[in-house]
Amino acid sequence: MTILHETRPTVATAVVEIEHDGRWKPVCGYADLLPGRGVAVLLGAEQVALFRDRAGLLYAVGNTDPFSGSAVISRGIMGSRGAAPVVASPMYKQAFDLRTGECLDEAATPDGSPARLGVWPVRVVS
Amino acid sequence: MVKKDLVLIGHGMVGQRFLEAFLAQDGAAWDWRVTVLAEEPRPAYDRVHLTSWFSGTSAEELSLCPASFIDEHGIDLRLGDPAVAVDRDRRTVTTRSGQLLPYDALVLATGSYPFVPPVPGHDARGCHVYRTIEDLAGIKEAAATARVGAVVGGGLLGLEAAGALRAMELETHVVEFAPRLMAIQVDDGGGAVLRRKIEELGVIVHTGAGTQAVDVDDDGAVRTMQLSDGTELAADLVVFSAGVRPRDQLARDCGLSVGERGGITVDERCRTSDPHIWAIGECAQAADGRVYGLVGPGYAMAEAAALDLTGGAGSFTGGDTSTKLKLLGVDVASFGDAHGTTHGALDVLYTDSRAGVYKKLVIGADGALLGGVLVGDADAYSVLRPLAASGAELPAPPEQLLLPASVGAPGAGALPDEAVVCSCHNVSKAAIRAAVGEQGCTSVPEVKKCTKAGTGCGSCVKLMTGIVEEELAASGVEVARGICEHFTRTRAELYEIIRAKGITSFSRVLDEHGTGEGCDLCKPVVASILASLGSTYVLDGEQAGLQDTNDHFLANLQRNGSYSVVPRIPGGEITPDGLITIGRIARDFGLYTKITGGQRIDMFGASVDQLPLIWQRLVDAGFESGHAYGKALRTVKSCVGQTWCRYGVQDSVALAIELELRYRGLRSPHKLKAAVSGCARECAEAQSKDFGVIATAEGWNLYVGGNGGMTPRHADLLAADLDRESLIRTIDRFLMFYIRTADRLERTAPWIERLEGGLDHLRSVVLDDSLGICDDLDELMARHVGTYQDEWATTLADPDRVRRFVSFVNAPGVPDPTVRFVSERDQIRPARPAEGGRTLAPALVAGPELEVRTR
């Protein structure tokens, strides 16, 4: 579901947009994002974790960690597991596939709900 | 049921092992009443490591027999009351105090006595032997006023004694009758290399020289020694360590059969010529006609006798006299037919006189390895000894076996199954493999517990580790030594690579030595290595992306996504104004406060947005980051010390503050905790810390490798009575050596346990610079101390960095609405899921929204 920008933006003024309720909403400057790190975005009542990887690709997933219930996914460390780009929750360290939101360590949380983050389309506009 | 009486004469290492083995047998404790007669004033202790008493190991630490062992088994242990006679007809033993003890079974473990050549003056004042703790105490006392020490005997004990005299700053001579040092273990070539190394340490060696007389002065004290080569030594302290003789007098007196050259003769089950009497250890002549002076064969005899007494089938038909030891920092090992006495045996030799390495292998006519001598580098011993003992075909050409392991010498795989890996406990390679393959052990500590291998002298642990890893790999359990899927290297290897290549970025480490994009395991490791090598600001450039959330926000993440804040309070000393400042800040931001175990104050419940505001006030008041969030030095806890305490002997607070300020911000493989106690009462609990310092009347004792938590470990005494400068230098090196070689998230306690050569090795590295790296370690620490900066002050000075402290990138200043608190005991706590609660107030107007009473 995640839409990646096609060319690497070079303009310092490039803006990142996330699609929410059928509309593209600008959330921050591309330059505000540190490679390999995430930030949290507040969209209405929803929280999104937005990441930029070393190569410049962007991912947007839900910010709430299903295992702890805390909104902390954006503060996790990015990396890769095999071919999958992942973020590790800073709370109990489960890894989530940034493309699908799926947890790669456990299928369900201890209370039985699926261990999965939502995913949002994200793009960069110059 | 009437219990039978077992009397054990002698409570040395072998006697103690006998008790352990005997009482481990089913029913032994029910059937037998056990009485132990000991000559010395203390229970069994570790005589192998006796010399460590000089460097601070206490008699208690050397003890092999905890009081609980005696109590638990109801043993009647009589210290200082040796046996003086045995009446075999009546089956009684008479003790020195005149008691008469009946026995149904008598076990003799009387050990041996030091041989003192019967030269004139051999018993003069100033002459000593080297056998018991009391002997050493006597030597230490005499050394305080002596100037020149002479050791008679250049064997293992003699060289250890020489090292001890040297350490007590005596001019030290070793007088050896044979043409070389350690004549029994090594050959001429090895002896020459060893001699050079010993002389480098300042010991004067006389070989091929006998002691002819000890001359005394008018007061009857030792003055000079006459040697057979005409030398006259002006020595005022003499230590005889010219070998030992079996203590078999008691046996002779009661008519037991004794060997021609001494030693009570026993059969393979350690029975003497009397069916009610057994003899074990150095006092016995074993079934193969030899008297063994090593602890390994002694233990094997103890076990054989214990089994025989309880109806089992134990036997001892001969032991391995192979030895590996570190003498004054020099590795010496010999094994099998070290002197090539087998018919048709040939030598393969490797010497490097410059490096002080000598290695010889003895190869039989059929090409099998028979034995060898290793001096200066004995790493290969753990593989070569069992290989020689098994008589198996060589896995590689012999010359290759002599090369250092890094050049491709064979590992554990080369050994046949029947090879004995642990000779202390007679554990074969097959038994270790079975512990993994059949009993399900998955780690070296588990295998140790299961087989006892590696729990004796410890010299086989490295080899054992190799076998365990191979076996795990073979059974499909992956033994990845690397940090994670992105790096096949260990943390220590990455450290060396990064240091050698001068790498300063994760990208370069990953591109040149890793795969993929990294992860939450390897990124913080590399960040920590870069920080400990460069002491740069941890959030600089790319490094910001590598840090755990705690390091990224310089605060500690708590369960609901809020953070806690801990300012540094060095040594736990804080002014009333400092306390008031912290109290005001906590009150103004509505934070929960708690005193930590490390003598400081933790403030909980801060949002990301609040962190810079809180820290601006702390920094303005003179506080610095406490690094509670980092794998770094946490605190140096202290007791109040001499300044106030009636019992204190040194100013523990001042030292704790100095140490905490010196090492603050030092990034390491795991957190570091420390403490300083002002006297032996140890109120700062220094022995449970990574490094702990305890004041003595003469200076400071340094303990390392302690731990509390889940697997508590008492710290080991690294060095005693240090002055301030040597103390700090030693801690500097200890920390940097740990940082350089430890694994990811490996505290100092398991690191020391794992360190090959253990505490002795650590001591030789940081005190004697045996690896020649101390200059490097000192320089790294100097760089750390010189470039330290308070991370919070640096962060606050840069508006771009402060901008990162927002809960939401698109709504700065809005706190996370899901972080909610309720009141409990007049403070906040995180709300539970059903509780609702209140969110934090917007960061800029901190305070009153939350109804928390302040007092």
Side-chain angles (χ1 to χ4, degrees), chain B residues 45 115 177 185 208 211 224 343 347-348 357 413 420 503 520 589 594 612 625 632 728 772 810 817:
Chain B
Y45 55 89
F115 168 69
F177 186 72
Q185 289 88 355
T211 306
T224 51
H343 181 71
D347 292 349
V348 178
V357 174
V420 173
I503 297 177
D520 60 317
F589 287 89
K594 191 170 189 309
S625 165
I728 289 176
N810 61 341

Side-chain angles (χ1 to χ4, degrees), chain B residues 266-346:
Chain B
V266 295
D267 65 10
E268 59 194 39
R269 293 192 281 180
C270 296
R271 292 180 172 185
T272 66
S273 50
D274 180 323
H276 294 284
I277 305 180
W278 287 254
I280 55 179
E282 296 183 346
C283 68
Q285 185 194 58
D288 62 351
R290 296 174 65 181
V291 176
Y292 290 91
L294 292 169
V295 75
Y299 279 179
M301 292 170 86
E303 274 155 27
L307 278 174
D308 191 45
L309 264 157
T310 48
S315 80
F316 177 83
T317 51
D320 188 357
T321 53
S322 302
T323 38
K324 176 190 176 205
L325 37 104
K326 208 177 204 64
L327 265 180
L328 311 181
V330 185
D331 278 325
V332 180
S334 83
F335 57 95
D337 179 12
H339 297 289
T341 54
T342 310
H343 181 71
L346 293 169

Side-chain angles (χ1 to χ4, degrees), chain B residues 357-368:
Chain B
V357 174
Y358 174 90
K359 300 180 183 185
K360 181 182 82 173
L361 295 186
V362 178
I363 308 291
D366 60 350

Side-chain angles (χ1 to χ4, degrees), chain B residues 386-403:
Chain B
L387 205 53
S390 71
E393 212 171 298
L394 286 180
E399 61 274 18
Q400 208 173 322
L401 297 174
L402 290 173
L403 296 176

Side-chain angles (χ1 to χ4, degrees), chain A residues 27-28 32 34-37 39-42 47 54 70-72 75 77-82 88 90-93, chain B residues 485-486 507 510 516-518 520 523-524 544-549 552-553 558-561 563 807-810 816:
Chain A
V27 295
C28 64
D32 293 336
L34 289 176
R37 257 309 4 141
V39 294
V41 176
L42 192 59
Q47 292 193 28
R54 277 207 304 161
S70 301
V72 294
R75 302 178 211 155
I77 290 180
M78 285 183 80
S80 62
R81 185 172 292 184
M91 202 60 83
Y92 302 119
K93 315 292 180 197
Chain B
E485 67 173 77
H486 306 104
S507 291
L510 190 65
E517 286 294 308
D520 60 317
K523 282 181 166 182
L546 307 179
Q547 309 290 355
D548 265 320
T549 182
H552 192 66
F553 289 113
Q558 302 298 334
R559 65 180 311 136
N560 65 345
Y563 288 82
S807 291
F808 300 106
V809 70
N810 61 341
D816 181 347

